[in-house]
Structures are given as structure tokens and as C-alpha cells.
């Protein structure tokens, strides 16, 4: 058994008790440069998260993941279900970007941008400190038997947690349902959108339990990125590191000032750690790179008149006096894959035109013939036109000939002309009627323009082969 409760057990997690039970961590608040930077950045991210669903770009919500409508919009670019392969590029690009960033800056995602860290640190833990006091008071309250004070403090805390969780959930759903639409839904009775209401309750419960109670356990036990990050890092990657050469031997009771290293064994770094680890034992899987221990230790160093940076952002090779290689095969591979994927993505995006149309013959026979009232023969070619509009513009599409001299010779007949193509797909029939003399040896290639009657702009050109009887 360790004599100091902050001297952690060698073979046990700080968050697990002797009998495997959960040990709830109450990290000490820290002040310092990194704390200030993170606070600003976290609030910026929260602001972005809350505000983005309310921003429209080109008439569409900036990010909208409409799963039932199979339509996904990202900053003015709309992807439909059949664009799913393009989304794979986005996913792979994200994976390799994270790989590249991790190989250089370590777990910067966990400490600086993961919603788990951002919401717990900025909102939930702040509410907790506001109601229950500092880390020591919180620990005391948790360990105390139930009393009126404990009951009201815990109750108010959980009610506030619930309000925040509801707010986070509604912002989250705004990305899927549409922020404005969701606002009006919330104005009506839940019975009108029962499925959505149940879904909202479940997500709120999930956020409430995760951010309010499960917390660091998610990073330690459940997060897949936490598991694989060690594969992406090596001795040249930045990490939160304790300078063992400078710190050891750490101060022990009875040691004189010149007998120990810079570490005075005050455990301030351990007390401030939200995952409860002792960074002096080296880089660990549980470290989310939150920088709390840097600030905690820097404050102690200031206090004892030692230079700051006993715990700092650094690389293992620097610490061993070897140069850090930022460009090495590992991150060059990540970088090459990342660039390759994004270039392919942009190229594919350009290739996928915003407005597409396909013309296929609409009947088994390539043409039919009809006798007009004046006794002359008229040839009819029937085509089916499938139009796909992925742009943000609603088009009123009509067809005409590129070669204007054909207008007197060939008639285009459509059931509706122009057709409004405001949805993803639109199908229509088109008939080309002409005299057999228009053809040469029974066929003729013509260029059809799909033009928007609103703007008179040509949005697409297609080649059509007309067929008729051989003269
Ligand atoms: S805060 Fe600094 S001095 Fe105190 S125990 Fe941690 S490393 Fe040592
Ligand atoms: S060891 Fe330091 S950086 Fe890592 S989680 Fe604990 S306090 Fe944060």
C-alpha cells in the first residue's frame, strides 16, 4: 500500500480501486499559460459548434447531414447518396490527417479539440466547481455520507448538467435535422415528432452520463483513437514529457536541497491530472495531453525558484540529447497519403458535374413514322431524359439545338417545357419530330443544349443520335 495517496499503485489505474471499483477523479484547477490558451481555444470551438448549424452558405445550412433524404451538405457542397465514394475520401483524408498530426504533435486532438475534453473541461467541471467547490471540497463531499447539503448540491449540479446536455443535444441534432427546422419542431408538442423526441432523450442521456459521470473512463477504456495513437507516435513525436534527467532523484523526506533533482515530489502534477496519472512514469496511454501537469509544475518551479519546463511539450529524442526529426518515413507516408487523398477528392469533385443528364431511347424501336394531315411523313425519335441536379440552384430546364438552323427542321416536344429541376433527380420524355430528309443515310448527330430559362445559361450539352428510314 502506498504511503501517499497520490503515489499511484504500479499495476493499477489511478481511476480503479483495490477491488476494481471506479475511483472518481477530482483534478485540481490550474493556472498558467497553457490553461489560458486552452480556455480560449475551447470556447472558440464551442462557439463554432453552436453557431455553425445556424449559418447558411449558398442557401443551405453550412453542415447538414440529412440521413433520411440521403443528402449531405458541407460548406456549400452537397453530396447525394450515390456520392458515397467521395465521402470515403473525406473519411480517409481525416484519418491520415490525424495520423500525420499525431506523428508530429502527439495527442493534440485529445487535449485540444476532442468534444469529450472540450465540454467536460469548459462546462461540466466548471459547474461542478461552482456548486461543490474546489477539488479538495469536491472530494470531501463525495466521500461524505448523504446529508441535506450533499443532496441539494448534487441535485442542483445534475439539473444544470441536464440543461447543458439538452442544449448540446439540440445543437448536435441541428446538424442532422436542420437548425431552423428543429427550432420550430421544439416549439410544438413532442407527440408530433415522437421518434425524434425519443432520439433526443437518448442522446441527452448519453451526453449527460458521459460528460457528467463517465468522463476520463471513456478516454481510457472506450476511445479507439486512444488505443491506436501509440502506433502513430515515436520518439520524435511531441508529447507531454517529464524531464527525468533534471527532475531525478526527486525529493524524499530528509533530503537536503543539493541532494535531489528539480522535482520536489509535491504531486501537484498528479493532483491536476484529469485521468489521474503520474506523468513522471513516462508517456502513458491514459495521457490525453491536456497540459494541466505542465501548468501545475511550472507554478511549483516558479515557487521554488527553478526554471520552468520540468514537465513540458517535447520529444523523447530531444530529452535524450538527440536531434528531433520532423520529416521521417512515418510522417512522410502519412503526408503523402493525405495529399494524395485530398487531391483525388478535389479532382473527383470537379469531375462530378453539378448538373448531369442522360438520354436513353424510350422505346424498343429506334424511330416511328407518322403521316401528317398534309400526307407527308414525319419521323419521331423518343428519348427518356434523366436529370440530376446536385447544385444549389433550381433550374428551369428547356432543350434547344446548338445549331440554330435545325430549329426550323426538327421539333422538340416535351410533356412539360420547361421542367423545374430543383430536386436531385428528374425524369422526363422528349420527342424529336422531323422530316426524313433531315437525315443523311438514316441518321444524324445533333447537339442539344440544356438551358436554364431563368438565366438563359446553357448548363449542359449532349450529343443525340437521330435515326430514321434509309432513303
Ligand atoms: S509538479 Fe513538478 S515538482 Fe511537483 S511532483 Fe510533479 S514534476 Fe515534481
Ligand atoms: S499527464 Fe498531464 S497532460 Fe497527460 S492527462 Fe495528465 S495532466 Fe494532462
Amino acid at each position: 500500500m502506498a504511503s501517499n495517496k497520490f503515489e499511484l499503485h504500479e499495476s493499477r489505474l489511478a481511476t480503479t480501486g483495490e477491488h476494481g471499483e471506479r475511483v472518481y477523479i477530482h483534478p485540481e484547477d490550474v493556472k498558467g499559460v497553457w490553461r489560458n490558451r486552452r480556455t480560449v481555444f475551447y470556447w472558440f470551438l464551442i462557439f463554432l459548434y453552436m453557431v455553425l448549424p445556424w449559418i447558411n452558405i449558398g442557401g443551405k445550412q453550412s453542415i447538414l447531414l440529412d440521413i433520411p433524404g440521403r443528402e449531405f451538405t458541407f460548406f456549400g457542397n452537397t453530396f447525394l447518396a450515390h456520392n458515397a465514394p467521395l465521402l470515403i475520401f473525406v473519411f480517409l483524408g481525416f484519418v491520415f490527417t490525424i495520423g500525420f498530426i499525431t506523428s508530429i504533435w502527439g495527442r493534440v486532438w485529445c487535449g485540444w479539440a476532442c468534444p469529450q475534453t472540450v465540454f467536460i473541461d469548459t462546462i461540466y467541471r466548471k459547474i461542478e466547481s461552482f456548486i461543490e467547490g474546489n477539488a479538495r471540497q469536491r472530494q470531501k463531499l463525495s466521500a461524505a455520507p448523504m446529508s441535506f447539503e450533499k443532496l441539494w448540491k448534487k441535485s442542483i449540479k445534475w439539473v444544470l448538467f441536464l440543461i447543458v446536455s439538452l442544449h448540446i443535444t439540440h445543437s448536435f441534432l441541428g446538424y442532422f435535422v436542420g437548425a431552423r427546422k428543429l427550432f420550430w419542431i421544439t416549439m410544438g408538442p413532442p407527440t408530433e415528432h415522437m421518434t425524434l423526441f425519443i432520439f433526443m432523450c437518448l442522446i441527452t442521456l448519453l451526453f449527460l452520463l458521459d460528460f457528467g459521470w463517465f468522463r476520463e473512463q471513456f478516454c481510457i477504456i472506450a476511445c479507439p483513437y486512444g488505443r491506436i495513437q501509440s502506433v502513430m507516435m515515436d520518439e520524435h513525436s511531441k508529447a507531454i514529457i517529464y524531464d527525468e534527467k533534471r527532475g531525478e532523484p526527486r525529493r524524499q523526506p530528509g533530503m537536503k536541497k543539493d541532494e535531489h533533482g528539480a522535482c520536489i515530489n509535491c504531486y501537484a502534477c498528479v493532483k491536476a491530472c484529469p485521468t489521474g496519472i503520474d506523468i513522471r512514469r513516462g508517456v502513458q496511454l491514459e495521457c490525453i495531453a491536456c497540459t494541466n501537469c505542465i501548468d501545475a509544475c511550472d507554478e511549483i518551479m516558479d515557487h521554488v525558484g527553478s526554471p520552468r519546463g520540468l514537465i513540458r511539450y517535447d520529444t523523447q529524442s530531444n530529452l535524450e540529447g538527440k536531434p528531433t526529426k520532423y520529416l521521417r518515413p512515418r510522417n512522410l507516408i502519412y503526408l503523402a497519403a493525405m495529399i494524395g487523398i485530398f487531391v483525388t477528392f478535389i479532382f473527383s469533385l470537379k469531375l462530378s458535374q453539378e448538373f448531369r443528364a442522360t438520354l436513353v431511347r424510350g422505346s424498343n424501336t429506334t424511330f416511328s413514322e407518322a403521316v401528317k394531315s398534309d400526307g407527308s411523313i414525319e419521323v419521331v425519335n423518343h428519348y427518356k431524359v434523366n436529370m440530376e441536379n446536385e447544385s444549389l440552384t433550381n433550374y428551369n430546364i428547356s432543350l434547344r439545338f446548338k445549331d440554330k438552323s435545325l430549329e426550323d427542321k426538327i421539333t422538340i416536344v416535351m410533356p412539360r417545357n420547361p421542367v423545374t429541376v430543383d430536386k436531385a433527380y428528374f425524369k422526363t420524355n422528349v420527342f424529336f419530330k422531323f422530316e426524313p430528309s433531315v437525315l443523311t443515310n438514316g441518321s444524324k448527330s445533333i447537339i442539344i443544349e440544356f438551358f436554364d430559362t431563368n438565366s438563359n445559361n446553357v448548363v449542359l450539352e449532349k450529343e443525340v443520335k437521330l435515326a430514321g428510314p434509309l432513303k
Side-chain angles (χ1 to χ4, degrees), residues 289-434:
C290 72
T291 71
N292 264 7
C293 53
I294 300 183
D295 282 329
C297 189
D298 278 351
E299 201 177 340
I300 298 295
M301 292 297 109
D302 288 351
H303 201 66
V304 298
S306 239
R308 289 178 167 203
L310 178 58
I311 300 176
R312 59 178 183 268
Y313 255 124
D314 211 336
T315 63
Q316 199 61 46
S317 31
N318 255 0
L319 227 56
E320 289 164 10
K322 299 177 203 156
T324 296
K325 290 183 200 151
Y326 289 105
L327 293 180
R328 51 198 194 279
R330 176 193 294 266
N331 50 25
L332 284 177
I333 290 171
Y334 290 137
L335 184 66
M338 189 178 98
I339 293 172
I341 286 167
F342 281 122
V343 167
T344 316
F345 172 70
I346 291 166
F347 191 66
S348 311
L349 205 61
K350 286 228 178 281
L351 279 185
S352 73
Q353 293 164 304
E354 287 188 334
F355 183 90
R356 276 190 293 265
T358 47
L359 287 101
V360 286
R361 288 207 179 267
S363 45
N364 292 335
T365 51
T366 48
F367 66 91
S368 58
E369 288 174 285
V371 182
K372 286 167 66 177
S373 53
D374 62 2
S376 63
I377 300 289
E378 184 180 59
V379 183
V380 181
N381 279 207
H382 174 204
Y383 274 91
K384 284 186 174 172
V385 187
N386 297 332
M387 288 179 256
E388 293 175 51
N389 182 10
E390 291 180 19
S391 73
L392 300 172
T393 317
N394 292 341
Y395 290 122
N396 275 332
I397 294 291
S398 190
L399 304 188
R400 67 186 178 200
F401 303 105
K402 187 166 186 174
D403 177 358
K404 301 293 178 253
S405 67
L406 292 174
E407 279 168 10
D408 298 334
K409 299 175 187 161
I410 306 172
T411 312
I412 297 175
V413 179
M414 290 161 70
R416 265 202 289 153
N417 193 3
V419 290
T420 304
V421 191
D422 57 351
K423 297 198 186 77
Y425 301 98
F426 194 90
K427 288 183 181 180
T428 188
N429 290 300
V430 60
F431 300 90
F432 298 97
K433 296 183 174 180
F434 49 88

Side-chain angles (χ1 to χ4, degrees), residues 242 250 262-270 278-280 293 296-298 300-301 310-311:
Y242 165 69
R250 62 190 74 164
C263 176
I264 62 164
N265 216 6
C266 64
Y267 296 97
C269 50
V270 183
D278 187 340
I279 196 64
R280 295 174 299 171
C293 53
C297 189
D298 278 351
I300 298 295
M301 292 297 109
L310 178 58
I311 300 176

Side-chain angles (χ1 to χ4, degrees), residues 189-207:
T191 42
E192 280 182 14
H193 298 89
M194 210 50 199
T195 314
L196 188 62
F197 180 71
I198 293 170
F199 194 61
M200 185 278 294
C201 291
L202 289 175
I203 303 267
T204 304
L205 189 67
L206 196 77
F207 283 152

